[in-house]
Amino acid sequence: MSEPKTKVLAAPFEDWVADVEPELRRDEARALDILFRGVTGFEAQVWTGGIVGYGAYDYTYASGRSGTWMATGFAPRKAKLSVYIMPGYADFAPILNRLGPHSKGKSCLYITRLARVDMDVLGELIAAGLRDLATYWPVRDRA
Protein backbone atom coordinates (compact mmCIF):
# COMPACT_ATOMS: atom_id res chain seq x y z
CA MET A 1 0.00 0.00 0.00
CA SER A 2 1.13 3.54 -0.63
CA GLU A 3 2.26 5.91 2.09
CA PRO A 4 -0.36 8.42 3.23
CA LYS A 5 0.06 11.89 1.74
CA THR A 6 -0.89 13.66 4.95
CA LYS A 7 1.66 13.27 7.75
CA VAL A 8 2.69 15.00 10.96
CA LEU A 9 5.41 17.61 10.52
CA ALA A 10 8.08 18.48 13.07
CA ALA A 11 7.14 22.18 12.97
CA PRO A 12 5.89 23.63 16.26
CA PHE A 13 2.46 25.26 15.97
CA GLU A 14 3.72 28.76 16.85
CA ASP A 15 6.38 28.65 14.13
CA TRP A 16 3.91 27.33 11.59
CA VAL A 17 1.07 29.73 12.41
CA ALA A 18 3.35 32.76 12.02
CA ASP A 19 3.28 32.13 8.25
CA VAL A 20 -0.51 31.75 7.92
CA GLU A 21 -1.99 34.37 5.60
CA PRO A 22 -4.01 36.52 5.67
CA GLU A 23 -3.55 37.97 9.15
CA LEU A 24 -7.22 37.36 10.02
CA ARG A 25 -6.77 33.61 9.43
CA ARG A 26 -3.60 33.65 11.52
CA ASP A 27 -5.51 35.25 14.41
CA GLU A 28 -8.39 32.78 13.97
CA ALA A 29 -5.94 29.87 13.94
CA ARG A 30 -4.48 31.03 17.25
CA ALA A 31 -7.98 31.36 18.74
CA LEU A 32 -8.88 27.88 17.49
CA ASP A 33 -5.67 26.46 18.97
CA ILE A 34 -6.64 27.79 22.40
CA LEU A 35 -10.14 26.32 22.03
CA PHE A 36 -8.96 22.90 20.78
CA ARG A 37 -6.28 22.59 23.47
CA GLY A 38 -8.81 23.51 26.14
CA VAL A 39 -11.47 21.08 24.92
CA THR A 40 -9.23 18.15 24.01
CA GLY A 41 -6.36 18.46 26.47
CA PHE A 42 -4.03 17.69 23.53
CA GLU A 43 -1.25 19.82 22.08
CA ALA A 44 -1.34 20.92 18.44
CA GLN A 45 0.44 18.85 15.82
CA VAL A 46 0.99 20.39 12.41
CA TRP A 47 0.23 18.06 9.50
CA THR A 48 1.08 18.47 5.83
CA GLY A 49 -1.54 20.33 3.84
CA GLY A 50 -1.86 23.14 6.35
CA ILE A 51 -3.82 21.08 8.89
CA VAL A 52 -3.52 21.38 12.67
CA GLY A 53 -4.51 18.22 14.52
CA TYR A 54 -5.26 17.36 18.15
CA GLY A 55 -4.99 13.78 19.32
CA ALA A 56 -4.81 10.81 16.98
CA TYR A 57 -6.26 7.40 16.28
CA ASP A 58 -5.24 4.32 14.35
CA TYR A 59 -7.78 2.90 11.94
CA THR A 60 -8.16 -0.22 9.86
CA TYR A 61 -10.96 -0.37 7.32
CA ALA A 62 -12.69 -3.52 6.10
CA SER A 63 -10.64 -3.16 2.90
CA GLY A 64 -7.48 -3.67 4.96
CA ARG A 65 -6.30 -0.10 4.51
CA SER A 66 -4.93 1.26 7.77
CA GLY A 67 -3.23 4.34 9.08
CA THR A 68 -3.11 7.05 11.69
CA TRP A 69 -5.14 10.24 11.55
CA MET A 70 -5.79 13.21 13.79
CA ALA A 71 -8.70 12.90 16.20
CA THR A 72 -9.90 16.44 15.50
CA GLY A 73 -8.44 19.65 14.15
CA PHE A 74 -8.72 22.51 11.72
CA ALA A 75 -7.18 24.13 8.67
CA PRO A 76 -7.15 27.91 8.20
CA ARG A 77 -7.90 28.09 4.47
CA LYS A 78 -8.06 31.46 2.72
CA ALA A 79 -11.76 31.24 1.84
CA LYS A 80 -13.01 29.35 4.92
CA LEU A 81 -11.86 27.64 8.07
CA SER A 82 -12.18 23.87 7.89
CA VAL A 83 -12.93 22.17 11.21
CA TYR A 84 -12.51 18.39 11.24
CA ILE A 85 -14.92 16.36 13.36
CA MET A 86 -13.99 12.69 12.94
CA PRO A 87 -15.26 10.26 11.83
CA GLY A 88 -18.31 12.31 10.87
CA TYR A 89 -20.97 9.62 11.33
CA ALA A 90 -22.97 11.12 14.19
CA ASP A 91 -25.86 13.55 13.81
CA PHE A 92 -24.75 16.73 15.51
CA ALA A 93 -27.70 18.77 14.21
CA PRO A 94 -28.87 19.92 17.67
CA ILE A 95 -25.42 21.42 18.32
CA LEU A 96 -24.96 22.75 14.78
CA ASN A 97 -28.32 24.53 14.96
CA ARG A 98 -26.88 26.69 17.76
CA LEU A 99 -23.43 27.26 16.21
CA GLY A 100 -24.00 30.12 13.79
CA PRO A 101 -23.29 30.37 10.06
CA HIS A 102 -21.53 27.30 8.66
CA SER A 103 -21.67 24.67 5.96
CA LYS A 104 -20.60 21.06 6.20
CA GLY A 105 -19.14 18.08 4.43
CA LYS A 106 -18.91 14.49 5.67
CA SER A 107 -16.27 15.10 8.33
CA CYS A 108 -15.69 18.83 7.81
CA LEU A 109 -17.37 21.93 9.06
CA TYR A 110 -16.73 25.11 7.08
CA ILE A 111 -16.79 28.51 8.78
CA THR A 112 -16.26 31.75 6.89
CA ARG A 113 -15.60 33.97 9.94
CA LEU A 114 -14.87 32.63 13.41
CA ALA A 115 -16.36 35.77 14.98
CA ARG A 116 -19.77 34.79 13.60
CA VAL A 117 -20.01 31.48 15.45
CA ASP A 118 -20.56 30.72 19.12
CA MET A 119 -17.19 29.51 20.44
CA ASP A 120 -18.79 27.70 23.39
CA VAL A 121 -20.99 25.76 20.99
CA LEU A 122 -17.99 25.01 18.77
CA GLY A 123 -16.20 23.64 21.83
CA GLU A 124 -19.25 21.50 22.60
CA LEU A 125 -19.18 20.18 19.03
CA ILE A 126 -15.47 19.32 19.23
CA ALA A 127 -16.04 17.42 22.49
CA ALA A 128 -19.04 15.57 21.03
CA GLY A 129 -16.99 14.62 17.97
CA LEU A 130 -14.22 13.18 20.14
CA ARG A 131 -16.71 11.18 22.18
CA ASP A 132 -18.24 9.81 18.97
CA LEU A 133 -14.82 8.97 17.51
CA ALA A 134 -13.87 7.08 20.68
CA THR A 135 -16.81 4.71 20.10
CA TYR A 136 -15.07 3.59 16.87
CA TRP A 137 -11.35 3.89 17.58
CA PRO A 138 -9.22 4.50 20.69
CA VAL A 139 -8.01 8.11 20.80
CA ARG A 140 -4.54 9.04 22.08
CA ASP A 141 -2.71 12.32 22.53
CA ARG A 142 -0.25 12.24 19.59
CA ALA A 143 0.21 10.73 16.15
Side-chain angles (χ1 to χ4, degrees), residues 47-67:
W47 293 65
T48 55
I51 298 171
V52 181
Y54 299 82
Y57 67 100
D58 296 318
Y59 62 86
T60 302
Y61 296 135
S63 66
R65 181 183 171 123
S66 64

Side-chain angles (χ1 to χ4, degrees), residues 45-130:
Q45 288 188 286
V46 178
W47 293 65
T48 55
I51 298 171
V52 181
Y54 299 82
Y57 67 100
D58 296 318
Y59 62 86
T60 302
Y61 296 135
S63 66
R65 181 183 171 123
S66 64
T68 299
W69 192 243
M70 66 178 161
T72 190
F74 69 90
R77 308 286 184 222
K78 285 186 181 183
K80 296 178 182 181
L81 297 163
S82 298
V83 177
Y84 302 102
I85 307 297
M86 306 302 174
Y89 304 129
D91 178 10
F92 297 123
I95 300 171
L96 290 169
N97 290 340
R98 297 182 287 116
L99 180 63
H102 68 278
S103 58
K104 60 184 182 169
K106 182 173 178 169
S107 295
C108 289
L109 178 73
Y110 302 105
I111 298 169
T112 304
R113 293 285 177 261
L114 196 57
R116 295 183 186 156
V117 299
D118 186 314
M119 292 293 280
D120 291 333
V121 173
L122 183 55
E124 185 182 335
L125 179 64
I126 294 163
L130 278 177

